[in-house]
Amino acid sequence: GENVEQHPSTLSVQEGDSAVIKCTYSDSASNYFPWYKQELGKGPQLIIDIRSNVGEKKDQRIAVTLNKTAKHFSLHITETQPEDSAVYFCAASKLDTGRRALTFGSGTRLQVQP
Amino acid sequence: GAVVSQHPSRVICKSGTSVKIECRSLDFQATTMFWYRQFPKQSLMLMATSNEGSKATYEQGVEKDKFLINHASLTLSTLTVTSAHPEDSSFYICSALTQNYGYTFGSGTRLTVV
């Protein structure tokens, strides 16, 4: 089955700096790669996603890049703010066929220092 | 957008009792619901996948007689933890999958078994 690895497990940056979180996946048939932000005691919130037919996607301060050949994808947050502090999870699935459940990475605790 | 309402948000129960967690899809029909469990500072682990009107498919290592899943309607899926023990204490999260809205997560249920 799918295996998603995520690094780093913790990340501390100064306000205004950029943050990068990286994930690799094992199943080349996976075609959907979302990123979630989870605050304490709450369910995950989708912040950005990308499909396998796209290499990059951007939404204001947040961007995701996908390298299908290397089977890795990354989350980039620019101009970080204290409210970006949370746990971030990457995930992968075969959205249209086969196993459609999301497989999650192990999470990254991002701390933005004011 | 799509909303999945999950209740209760927190529950404390005595060892040996059963607890039911409900997830309702508001304004859309959820043909597929995923149930995840998340231990403190860990990732979301898939427990089971349920499709409306059919039996749930459980992940390896998840006891189907202990974690009863019912998905009898397109707007309601329930997870019942039977004969709960302290090691079942965890954060349980449901997620609906639809063609129009992708994955929509509930807000989670914090179960504490004493």
Side-chain angles (χ1 to χ4, degrees), chain A residues 53-107:
Chain A
N53 58 350
V54 175
E56 184 173 358
K57 185 176 178 182
K58 190 174 181 181
D59 182 5
Q60 299 183 346
R61 296 187 297 111
I62 295 172
V64 56
T65 58
L66 171 66
N67 182 327
K68 278 198 304 181
T69 304
K71 289 189 282 189
H72 67 69
F73 57 113
S74 300
L75 176 71
H76 303 253
I77 305 174
T78 58
E79 300 171 29
T80 53
Q81 301 165 3
E83 50 265 38
D84 294 329
S85 297
V87 179
Y88 291 81
F89 290 97
C90 61
S93 75
K94 288 179 273 198
L95 190 55
D96 302 313
T97 60
R99 180 182 171 87
R100 297 180 298 161
L102 288 166
T103 300
F104 285 85
S106 52

Side-chain angles (χ1 to χ4, degrees), chain B residues 71-101:
Chain B
H71 195 163
S73 82
L74 287 170
T75 59
L76 176 64
S77 179
T78 62
L79 167 67
T80 301
V81 182
T82 62
S83 187
H85 290 286
E87 57 264 31
D88 299 323
S89 298
S90 190
F91 193 57
Y92 293 86
I93 308 170
C94 61
S95 172
L97 174 61
T98 63
Q99 193 165 6
N100 291 339
Y101 302 111

Side-chain angles (χ1 to χ4, degrees), chain A residues 15-52:
Chain A
E15 183 177 359
D17 287 351
S18 295
V20 179
I21 303 171
K22 297 182 179 182
C23 288
T24 60
Y25 61 99
S26 61
D27 189 342
S28 57
S30 289
N31 57 12
Y32 178 67
F33 307 94
W35 285 89
Y36 292 91
K37 178 182 182 182
Q38 188 180 30
E39 296 177 343
L40 194 62
K42 298 184 179 180
Q45 284 183 295
L46 178 70
I47 56 171
I48 197 166
D49 58 5
I50 193 167
R51 297 236 185 184
S52 59

